[in-house]
Amino acid sequence: MTQAPARPAPARRRHDREIVALAVPAFGALVAEPLFVMADSAIVGHLGTAQLAGLGVASALLTTAVSVFVFLAYATTAAVARRVGADDLASAIRQGMDGIWLALLLGALVIVMVLPTAPALVSLFGASPTAAPYATTYLRISALGIPAMLVVLAATGVLRGLQNTRTPLYVAVAGFVANAALNAGLVYGAGLGIAGSAWGTVIAQCAMAAVYLAVVVRGARRYGASLRPDTAGIRASAQAGAPLLVRTLCLRAILLIATAVAARLGDADIAAHQIILSLWSLLAFALDAIAIAGQAIIGRFLGAGDAAGAREACRRMVQWGVAVGVVLALLVIVARPVFLPLFTADSTVKDAALPALLMVALSQPVCGVVFVLDGVLMGAGDGPYLAWAMLLTLAVFTPAALAVPALGGGLTALWAAMTLMMTVRMLTLWLRARSGRWVVTGATR
């Protein structure tokens, strides 16, 4: 990062308060999201093994489809926050509406694609003949809720850009409770089986989207922002999101390659890998919460024309990322003996996971820097650089990961390759942050 005079302690404390105020609710909302799948699994699991296996396949497909469009939240947060910084709330909400309209269009497109191809998609993901019908049923019904899911992403980005992460937390928690109640009532009370679970999730997602839309519409009326679709604005939202889509696809490819390599190492290694990956994802929520705060804060500073404030906020958030990463590393090291028995009693799986978990722990400070700088550059609207950096990271990681089984390495070697991947990301992001080229002030980049 470009050097700047250190801000006095009161300024640092202001940054700290703002980071905590935005990051803590964001973390709660992030953790609430996986609870949807957990609630569905707990309820459907009592129907039978085939139903639970079908849910697993369909949920994997849905999660992949929705995660690809996470740029709707990221790009919208940055664009809205800039306009908030420029003190143009009407334009901020108008930009948010463009993102929401884009979400609706993309959701409709996904429905058109998924409904006729659901059986083929389920087969492609390897569902067994007994699980496939349940997976197809769940996928087809749940696909109807994808527009609502994408609206939730875009509207969450609007509220984050408005420096409001509390409302998304409240909506996420209420949505989880409603989803669990609807699932139980429709699966068992109405006797709809796995179809009831899918309908419960669709209804809960639509209700969440309706709440978000009510909040955004109220803001639009207050500040006189138009709610009508604007072709130019929707196109601009899509253009801003395209590089972030490339970034996300590269990251998904890295995770898929890692899982494929682990599968080639043997049953114990792939089992241990899945356990570690679940922990890695949980740790990522804590770091991603700081990144979300970074998107909102950096966008606002740049929109207000405060380049020095943006640089200082970036520096302080990096310090937060490193500190949280160190704490997470210590927690992983200390909790290893307690964590693994929660998932498996197999000593072979434990033996494979223990040294790999040490590698995960060592990488956490690096991950802290990566997540924070990723959020900073997203908040600055520096999507094209993020896309190229992830393409480079994918190019470095792929041969390193594929070399693990070829050279006789095990799961620890694979997670060393994952650590290499995060280190490459850190270097590319740090070089960009240090260059200062991301610091582009104004209501638009």
Side-chain angles (χ1 to χ4, degrees):
M1 291 168 289
T2 53
Q3 298 298 315
R7 291 278 178 108
R12 290 198 299 271
R13 285 196 292 270
R14 274 199 309 276
H15 284 311
D16 291 344
R17 286 194 298 269
E18 191 168 25
I19 291 168
V20 170
L22 290 171
V24 171
F27 174 71
L30 289 170
V31 171
E33 291 173 10
L35 295 180
F36 272 81
V37 176
M38 290 179 63
D40 289 1
S41 299
I43 293 169
V44 171
H46 292 286
L47 293 175
T49 302
Q51 288 91 332
L52 184 58
L55 172 66
V57 171
S59 294
L61 284 162
L62 288 165
T63 301
T64 300
V66 174
S67 65
V68 164
F69 296 112
V70 73
F71 70 84
L72 289 166
Y74 294 158
T76 304
T77 297
V80 171
R82 275 185 175 269
R83 287 159 176 80
V84 169
D87 199 25
D88 187 355
L89 290 178
S91 177
I93 294 174
R94 173 64 261 179
Q95 180 67 40
M97 282 305 306
D98 291 335
I100 290 172
W101 280 112
L102 176 61
L104 286 170
L105 290 173
L106 290 173
L109 180 62
V110 172
I111 288 178
V112 171
M113 294 174 62
V114 168
L115 289 183
T117 61
L121 290 171
V122 166
S123 176
L124 183 65
F125 264 59
S128 68
T130 54
Y134 297 111
T136 301
T137 297
Y138 190 93
L139 181 59
R140 278 181 166 156
I141 296 172
S142 294
L144 301 176
I146 286 179
M149 295 180 194
L150 299 190
V151 167
V152 167
L153 284 177
T156 300
V158 175
L159 295 180
R160 288 173 181 171
L162 293 171
Q163 319 295 295
N164 176 2
T165 57
R166 288 183 178 272
T167 298
L169 171 60
Y170 300 148
V171 175
V173 172
F176 164 70
V177 173
N179 178 67
L182 285 166
N183 268 258
L186 293 174
V187 171
Y188 297 112
L192 297 180
I194 195 169
S197 176
W199 281 118
T201 300
V202 169
I203 294 169
Q205 291 286 354
C206 289
M208 291 171 66
V211 172
Y212 276 120
L213 288 175
V215 172
V216 174
V217 168
R218 185 168 66 244
R221 288 175 176 167
R222 180 184 304 161
Y223 297 105
S226 173
L227 297 173
R228 295 180 178 178
D230 176 68
T231 303
I234 294 172
R235 186 184 303 114
S237 293
Q239 290 172 344
L244 297 181
L245 174 61
V246 173
R247 167 201 168 276
T248 301
L249 289 174
C250 288
L251 185 56
R252 297 297 301 183
I254 285 170
L255 297 177
L256 287 173
I257 290 169
T259 300
V261 170
R264 293 178 61 186
L265 298 176
D267 290 345
D269 288 288
I270 185 60
H273 177 74
Q274 289 304 113
I275 294 171
I276 294 171
L277 194 59
S278 67
L279 175 63
W280 195 72
S281 299
L282 179 62
L283 299 175
F285 285 140
L287 299 173
D288 203 24
I290 305 174
I292 288 168
Q295 294 170 30
I297 293 170
I298 294 298
R300 193 190 72 236
F301 271 119
L302 294 178
D306 187 355
R311 291 190 181 95
E312 180 58 28
C314 173
R315 182 174 292 103
R316 190 59 178 163
M317 281 183 284
V318 169
Q319 292 170 355
W320 268 83
V322 172
V324 173
V326 169
V327 171
L328 294 177
L330 293 175
L331 287 175
V332 170
I333 292 171
V334 171
R336 282 186 311 152
V338 179
F339 173 74
L340 287 174
L342 295 176
F343 291 86
T344 181
D346 190 327
S347 59
T348 306
V349 175
K350 291 179 184 178
D351 290 343
L354 276 172
L357 278 173
L358 278 179
M359 190 62 65
V360 171
L362 292 174
S363 70
Q364 288 310 297
V366 174
C367 293
V369 176
V370 168
F371 276 81
V372 167
L373 291 181
D374 210 35
V376 165
L377 297 185
M378 284 183 191
D382 205 10
Y385 181 83
L386 291 172
W388 284 111
M390 278 304 299
L391 285 168
L392 172 63
T393 302
L394 176 61
V396 172
F397 171 77
T398 301
L402 296 179
V404 169
L407 297 176
L411 191 64
T412 303
L414 175 60
W415 277 93
M418 289 286 284
T419 302
L420 170 65
M421 177 271 294
M422 295 302 291
T423 303
V424 172
R425 287 187 70 189
M426 183 183 69
L427 290 174
T428 57
L429 297 174
W430 178 79
L431 288 172
R432 186 63 167 183
R434 185 176 176 82
S435 74
R437 293 177 184 174
W438 57 277
V439 184
V440 179
T441 58
T444 58
R445 183 177 172 85

